[in-house]
Amino acid sequence: MQGLQIENLEKNYNDVRVVHGLNLTVAEGEMVALLGPSGCGKSTTLRMVAGFVEPSGGRILLNGTDISGMPAYKRDTGMVFQSYALFPHMTVAANVAFGLEMRRVPKSERPARVAAALDMVRMSKLADRMPRQLSGGQQQRVALARALAVNPALLLLDEPLSNLDAKLRGEVQHEIRTLQQRLGLTTLIVTHDQEEALVMADRLVIMEGGRIRQAGTPRELYEEPSDIFVAGFVGRCNLIEGESQGGGWFRTANGALLPCIDTAPALKPAMLAVRPEHINIDNENAKGIPARVAGAAYLGSQIEYRVDISGTTLTVMRNNATTGEQVLPVNTAITLNWPTTAARVLPRQ
Amino acid sequence: MTGFPAFTRVGYNLLIVMAYGLIMAPVLAVMVISVFDAEIISFPPHGLTLRWFVNAWQRPEFADGLWVSFKLAVISTAVGVPLGAMAAYALNRGKFWGKGLISSLLLGPLAVPAIICGTALYIFYIQAENVLDRDIVGTTAGLVAAHVLLTIPWSVRLVSASMEGLDQRIEEAAANLGASPMIVAWRITIPMMRSGIVAACMFSFIQSFENLELSLLLIAPGQITLPVAMLNYLEFRIDPTLAAVGTIQILFIGILMLVTDRFVKLSRVF
Ligand SMILES: Nc1ncnc2c1ncn2[C@@H]1O[C@H](COP(=O)(O)OP(=O)(O)O)[C@@H](O)[C@H]1O
Ligand SMILES: [Mg+2]
């Protein structure tokens, strides 16, 4: 079987378990993002795949071969590190050629392969520079070229963009994604930045506390989160305490009755999850949930409201589609409504 | 120093000048005396001369001593630095019990006065001779071993310092590209420790080259090192010839430092 399979992978550090029975596949040519807060075990997982950390249990298969016991230098992976980890005493070209030499690519073929790899990341002109003469973004590109030059069966990226400034990060995200799709690279990326994961990956795997919370496409995770951690971690979400009554109604802890997806079973205690941009604001007399504006912020493309439903505060994002749209003053009486499918009932943890 | 009253700044600069003066005074004094034209050092000098340098050159014990010291320093450096560098690597990268103890032991010779080291080694060598029934005191091997002891703490310290700032991810990147541990060490780790290793070579060389205390008790009759030759000379005469030899020694070490600094910036190692 092609691609990467991780089966029941575990890691203990001095009796502390930091990765719990992890199962994960990356299909051939697919890009999967491991997304989670700092310290949840993402890097440890990636480093076990690369062979820098020895697993305490489980198996790792790459294109059908169990590589769990293989030393790092025999694994066919290409890794890009957060700190880039370029060889400081070698030129850009020598950095890229190193992997080719190690994998015994004939000397005559190396210059062309180095040039091709540098070309891919638009760094050909700087081939003779030393790493210290490059900017962060340029070093990042060289690190990527170095990993790609050897045609690895699996590309591993550990927070590859977190040392770049925000604007550059956005560009490089798209560039890496385009390159990955063009070359059909099987890729596992680790990040704590949800936007990065959403932009780059085919599938996301949300980790927390060394466990997988949920895996799926960006749309699945955003629209159908299976628990409140995922709902709150991917995008913004209003989480309202209360209990589901069944039949499409949810009673908040403050006693207000809110509409929710009618397939939700009766569940108490529970949480109602509603995305801020799924909530409509209507005038006082419309049909819906009576509410009051508690605060507003003009954000340019959007207006962010804090609204109050009998003691429960929600965030509402409204698109600023037409110019001159008025920001509702504080204390305006309003009516809220949302499609019932936009309000999901999740177990409280 | 903006914002400080002028006298504070003057005082500060004065302090720097005084500190440097204090450190440099003996060195400068030796160099000045080496050109005084008088057997008995007196001030002001009667005149200036280079005859002490000629005298130093013509006396075989100094030329021979320089050559013996040079050879000894080269060999001790060649043996001591690789040992020290390997120890530093193990201390930085290895996971084993008793690291702190081993580290203190290796740095130990720095803390013990050299004359005590020399005496202890002498006694140890004599005892070892009795047990092993072979000569150690007065052999080249015995002397080299003693000088290697001097070079090891410097090597361990300087190489360790250059390893501490080294990002281990760089070595992982090399392994990831297919380099076995041996190749990683040879192609990545050692080149990155270059400045530490060069500095270790230089300091080891100087330590051995100018050592008097260990050599004094351990040298073979025909193999007099320069510092010992200078001490011997002092027993019979006191004239600026020694200052001339000292000046040559100082210039030699100074040039060595300048040349080293061209390859690695020494200020970056400390
Ligand atoms: N070498 C180590 N020894 C002990 N604990 C470690 C080691 N490496 C990581 N950990 C711990 O494992 C947990 C997961 O770390 P890591 O995988 O780096 O998290 P992430 O990459 O998701 O931020 C953290 O709590 C961290 O402190
Ligand atoms: Mg990490």
Side-chain angles (χ1 to χ4, degrees):
Chain A
M1 188 168 165
Q2 297 298 295
L4 174 73
Q5 281 96 40
I6 296 177
E7 296 172 356
N8 285 317
L9 194 63
E10 312 223 313
K11 181 63 194 174
N12 305 328
Y13 280 119
N14 315 316
D15 299 335
V16 180
R17 181 158 294 186
V18 299
V19 175
H20 298 256
L22 202 93
N23 287 291
L24 170 68
T25 50
V26 183
E28 196 182 7
E30 187 186 32
M31 183 155 184
V32 169
L34 268 183
L35 175 65
S38 161
C40 72
K42 308 179 295 289
S43 293
T44 305
T45 304
L46 197 77
R47 292 167 59 74
M48 284 193 277
V49 175
F52 304 135
V53 173
E54 198 184 334
S56 309
R59 293 205 307 165
I60 301 164
L61 292 106
L62 183 56
N63 292 344
T65 315
D66 186 350
I67 58 167
S68 322
M70 220 183 242
Y73 70 94
K74 290 192 177 152
R75 301 188 187 191
D76 191 12
T77 65
M79 179 135 170
V80 177
F81 295 80
Q82 183 174 0
S83 57
Y84 314 134
L86 297 178
F87 308 132
H89 55 294
M90 297 184 192
T91 62
V92 164
N95 263 275
V96 177
F98 186 81
L100 300 175
E101 186 189 336
M102 291 302 124
R103 297 189 188 207
R104 305 231 156 75
V105 173
K107 212 166 186 165
S108 55
E109 287 176 28
R110 285 182 218 158
R113 298 257 311 251
V114 169
L118 286 175
D119 212 33
M120 244 170 352
V121 296
R122 295 185 284 111
M123 284 292 295
S124 312
K125 287 208 185 74
L126 303 179
D128 297 324
R129 292 263 185 101
M130 297 304 276
R132 65 173 171 277
Q133 298 171 306
L134 303 179
S135 71
Q138 292 169 334
Q139 290 186 29
Q140 207 279 339
R141 284 165 204 276
V142 176
L144 186 64
R146 184 177 66 176
L148 293 181
V150 296
N151 270 329
L154 177 67
L155 182 64
L156 300 171
L157 308 165
D158 190 357
E159 312 253 6
L161 308 176
S162 56
N163 288 340
L164 302 181
D165 63 55
K167 186 170 170 290
L168 195 57
R169 201 182 310 153
E171 287 173 24
V172 182
Q173 280 167 7
H174 287 285
E175 264 178 60
I176 294 182
R177 175 60 166 159
T178 310
L179 209 56
Q180 180 267 332
Q181 285 180 319
R182 182 155 66 78
L183 303 175
L185 291 164
T186 310
T187 306
L188 184 59
I189 179 173
V190 155
T191 177
H192 66 271
D193 179 347
Q194 51 143 326
E195 192 187 311
E196 189 163 299
L198 291 171
V199 167
M200 296 175 76
D202 296 301
R203 260 181 339 112
L204 272 54
V205 174
I206 312 293
M207 270 183 86
E208 200 243 349
R211 295 173 208 274
I212 292 180
R213 284 305 190 107
Q214 193 178 353
T217 63
R219 179 182 286 274
E220 280 163 5
L221 292 177
Y222 192 78
E223 294 182 0
E224 297 160 27
S226 62
D227 63 32
I228 58 172
F229 177 82
V230 175
F233 197 78
V234 181
R236 294 175 66 179
C237 199
N238 290 297
L239 293 168
I240 309 161
E241 282 188 33
E243 52 190 58
S244 159
Q245 312 235 304
W249 290 101
F250 184 91
R251 185 179 295 279
T252 71
N254 295 327
L257 211 54
L258 305 177
C260 67
I261 188 162
D262 51 15
T263 55
L267 187 65
K268 53 175 140 177
M271 283 278 195
L272 190 67
V274 193
R275 300 279 178 197
E277 72 277 14
H278 289 159
I279 304 176
N280 280 311
I281 296 182
D282 219 331
N283 65 46
E284 193 181 355
N285 303 317
K287 224 166 94 53
I289 309 144
R292 201 175 46 79
V293 175
Y298 182 82
L299 304 179
S301 67
Q302 288 180 309
I303 300 170
E304 176 179 336
Y305 288 105
R306 313 276 303 151
V307 301
D308 182 90
I309 309 173
S310 55
T312 305
T313 307
L314 302 186
T315 303
V316 180
M317 299 297 288
R318 296 314 306 159
N319 266 338
N320 200 4
T322 52
T323 53
E325 180 151 328
Q326 292 299 307
V327 179
L328 298 172
V330 171
N331 271 330
T332 311
I334 50 172
T335 304
L336 302 180
N337 53 60
W338 52 72
T340 54
T341 51
R344 298 178 57 82
V345 176
L346 301 173
R348 200 186 302 172
Q349 282 153 346
Chain B
M1 298 294 284
T2 51
F4 279 94
F7 66 83
T8 311
R9 203 158 54 232
V10 171
Y12 177 76
N13 289 337
L14 204 66
L15 202 67
I16 291 178
V17 170
M18 274 165 54
Y20 271 102
L22 209 64
I23 295 167
M24 299 293 289
V27 176
L28 292 176
V30 167
M31 294 173 105
V32 168
I33 290 167
S34 71
V35 292
F36 275 19
D37 188 9
E39 293 270 329
I40 308 296
I41 296 148
S42 63
F43 205 86
H46 305 298
L48 300 178
T49 178
L50 287 177
R51 75 176 153 110
W52 306 119
F53 285 89
V54 176
N55 188 32
W57 186 251
Q58 281 168 349
R59 297 193 66 98
E61 67 257 44
F62 292 132
D64 291 349
L66 186 69
W67 181 231
V68 170
S69 280
F70 180 79
K71 279 191 299 190
L72 179 59
V74 167
I75 296 170
S76 308
T77 303
V79 176
V81 171
L83 288 176
M86 285 191 279
Y89 186 88
L91 287 173
N92 275 277
R93 287 296 148 81
K95 291 191 180 71
F96 51 89
W97 188 85
K99 247 170 142 171
L101 187 72
I102 292 172
S103 169
S104 325
L105 266 177
L106 288 172
L107 297 180
L110 274 183
V112 180
I115 190 70
I116 294 180
C117 263
T119 314
L121 269 177
Y122 181 67
I123 296 170
F124 172 71
Y125 278 8
I126 299 279
Q127 305 256 357
E129 279 182 353
N130 290 339
V131 175
L132 300 176
D133 195 26
R134 52 160 58 197
D135 284 347
I136 301 176
V137 175
T139 63
T140 308
L143 188 61
V144 167
H147 277 229
V148 165
L149 191 69
L150 283 175
T151 65
I152 281 178
W154 285 97
S155 305
V156 171
R157 250 175 82 155
L158 290 165
V159 175
S160 284
S162 73
M163 279 194 79
E164 259 151 37
L166 200 154
D167 180 2
Q168 221 165 319
R169 299 282 183 262
I170 295 173
E171 290 163 292
E172 289 180 355
N176 179 254
L177 291 167
S180 65
M182 286 297 285
I183 294 178
V184 173
W186 184 245
R187 295 280 304 273
I188 307 296
T189 317
I190 292 176
M192 285 201 301
M193 297 188 311
R194 200 187 71 152
S195 60
I197 291 172
V198 172
C201 286
M202 192 193 69
F203 277 85
S204 296
F205 182 92
I206 293 173
Q207 282 296 309
S208 165
F209 187 73
E210 51 132 67
N211 179 271
L212 172 67
E213 298 91 335
L214 294 188
S215 307
L216 201 55
L217 297 167
L218 302 175
I219 48 173
Q223 300 274 302
I224 313 287
T225 65
L226 185 60
V228 177
M230 289 167 76
L231 191 69
N232 288 345
Y233 184 82
L234 204 58
E235 281 185 37
F236 302 105
R237 327 169 52 120
I238 177 157
D239 65 36
T241 305
L242 277 184
V245 178
T247 301
I248 293 169
Q249 222 182 0
I250 290 164
L251 291 177
F252 184 73
I253 289 174
I255 290 168
L256 190 68
M257 282 191 149
L258 283 177
V259 171
T260 312
D261 195 61
R262 281 194 68 86
F263 291 103
V264 296
K265 285 276 157 263
L266 290 177
S267 55
R268 282 226 308 256
V269 184
F270 294 100

